[in-house]
Amino acid sequence: MILITGAAGKTGRALLQQLGLHQRPVRALVRRQDQIEQVLEKGATEAQFGDLLDPQSMTPAFAGVTAVYHIPPNVHPQEERIAENILRLSSQHGVEHFVYHSVLRPYIRSMPHHIKKAHVEERLFTTGIPFTILQPAAYMQNTLPYLQNARTDGVFSVPYPIDTPMGMVDLDEVAEVGALVIANADHYMATYELSSTEILTPEDIAEQIETAIGKPVEAQEVDLKTWRRQALQTGMSRYQVDTLLKMFRYYARYGFWGNGYSLSALLGRPPKTYAAFLGRLDF
Ligand SMILES: NC(=O)c1ccc[n+]([C@@H]2O[C@H](COP(=O)([O-])OP(=O)(O)OC[C@H]3O[C@@H](n4cnc5c(N)ncnc54)[C@H](OP(=O)(O)O)[C@@H]3O)[C@@H](O)[C@H]2O)c1
């Protein structure tokens, strides 16, 4: 049995769909009643309640589990404590394979949600559990909420300069790799960067959205003060907002992209381009 944490989230749902295609027995760890139907619909064999911050609540979910795919909650202040809980339970239950959903370049100290993942990777090395670490770039799917705005106002806005070089990856391809490596000894002790081969600036992205929707779209930089105010209004926590601001400052200074070689090798085909990703959507 494969256990997936964070199963009802954006990444978890994509992974469940891929594992469902291969009819693998999967238990989804969720924390709310309404998430059960969601994960079963996506392809989980069963669902179990558990709070990632409360090891006792998760103990029943580990019964009969041989492989764990740990998806940490997004930009969470206690990401390291959560990973420690999952790793301890995995050791206690004799888990044979642990897949850690990390991030591209976790070692960057000025991005707290990245360096926390580097610490978890380091801790994972000490457990003795065979592991696989996946380090995805930013998902192409992150741009979806902005497409509506591009259609209505003709603007694609980002909180960093519009000439910042960025790399992205299709979440469905990340999930395809997740389903390929889990419980597969060929990938024990491996760390894979998962990125497309493209480097695109927000200006390039706006141009591609323009082509896809057939309407003029302009890239626009939102200043960080405005972004912060709007983000707090949506109910994001201060920790999340401040962490994301640090990430945007890093992007503005250095850009952020990876290399598509390992993803290409794992998929057996070139990674999806952003244009192909847009081409799949209904406008
Ligand atoms: N987005 C990207 O571009 C990207 C790229 C590379 C790596 N990543 C990494 O991928 C990971 C997952 O991101 P995501 O966007 O899939 O996150 P997400 O959609 O927020 O999913 C996280 C899931 O964890 C659940 N959760 C949170 N706290 C919990 C707790 N205490 N107990 C039980 N469940 C809890 C959430 O439940 P609720 O819905 O109830 O909160 C949600 O279902 C993150 O660590 C992120 O850094 C993301």
Side-chain angles (χ1 to χ4, degrees), residues 2-3 5 52 62 65-72 79 82-91 94-102 120-121 123-125 127-134 178 181-184 187-191:
I2 297 167
L3 178 69
T5 66
L52 295 167
F62 277 79
V65 166
T66 51
V68 170
Y69 191 113
H70 177 45
I71 304 172
E79 199 169 324
I82 285 171
E84 186 61 36
N85 290 341
I86 303 290
L87 285 170
R88 282 203 185 164
L89 284 163
S90 298
S91 291
V95 164
E96 293 160 17
H97 186 211
F98 192 100
V99 178
Y100 179 49
H101 195 87
S102 184
V120 172
E121 290 190 10
R123 170 72 180 99
L124 181 51
F125 304 151
T127 59
I129 307 173
F131 63 82
T132 307
I133 295 170
L134 301 181
V181 301
I182 186 87
N184 181 342
H187 300 284
Y188 284 6
M189 319 315 271
T191 300

Side-chain angles (χ1 to χ4, degrees), residues 105-265:
R105 307 231 178 89
Y107 329 101
I108 299 168
R109 277 172 293 179
S110 56
M111 296 200 273
H113 60 316
H114 279 234
I115 194 69
K116 281 182 171 44
K117 285 186 166 66
H119 293 156
V120 172
E121 290 190 10
E122 192 179 359
R123 170 72 180 99
L124 181 51
F125 304 151
T126 68
T127 59
I129 307 173
F131 63 82
T132 307
I133 295 170
L134 301 181
Q135 299 177 333
Y139 306 152
M140 292 178 181
Q141 280 76 358
N142 296 352
T143 63
L144 290 177
Y146 302 96
L147 295 185
Q148 185 55 32
N149 209 22
R151 278 171 66 94
T152 49
D153 303 345
V155 172
F156 174 68
S157 54
V158 287
Y160 42 86
I162 60 172
D163 59 353
T164 305
M166 298 293 295
M168 291 188 284
V169 67
D170 177 20
L171 171 58
D172 291 336
E173 290 189 337
V174 173
E176 198 176 326
V177 170
L180 171 81
V181 301
I182 186 87
N184 181 342
D186 289 349
H187 300 284
Y188 284 6
M189 319 315 271
T191 300
Y192 300 124
E193 285 193 359
L194 303 178
S195 180
S196 75
T197 31
E198 285 179 311
I199 302 172
L200 298 172
T201 64
E203 271 174 321
D204 300 328
I205 293 172
E207 226 176 88
Q208 296 201 9
I209 296 173
E210 179 172 306
T211 308
I213 67 177
K215 274 176 76 171
V217 177
E218 204 186 341
Q220 207 172 74
E221 180 178 356
V222 185
D223 71 88
L224 293 184
K225 261 192 184 163
T226 307
W227 184 88
R228 184 174 195 278
R229 187 172 28 82
Q230 289 170 348
L232 287 170
Q233 277 166 1
T234 66
M236 254 191 227
S237 72
R238 265 177 206 281
Y239 171 81
Q240 287 176 316
V241 169
D242 291 343
T243 300
L244 292 174
L245 286 172
K246 285 176 186 164
M247 179 178 84
F248 299 143
R249 288 193 190 101
Y250 184 93
Y251 285 177
R253 190 153 181 208
Y254 303 108
F256 195 68
W257 69 95
N259 178 298
Y261 190 86
S262 51
L263 179 56
S264 188

Side-chain angles (χ1 to χ4, degrees), residues 6 8-12 31-32 35 50-53 71-76 79 101-103 117 136-139 142:
K10 192 198 266 191
T11 308
R31 67 166 167 181
R32 293 200 321 267
Q35 292 170 332
D51 182 341
L52 295 167
L53 289 163
I71 304 172
N74 203 19
V75 195
H76 195 292
E79 199 169 324
H101 195 87
S102 184
V103 70
K117 285 186 166 66
Y139 306 152
N142 296 352

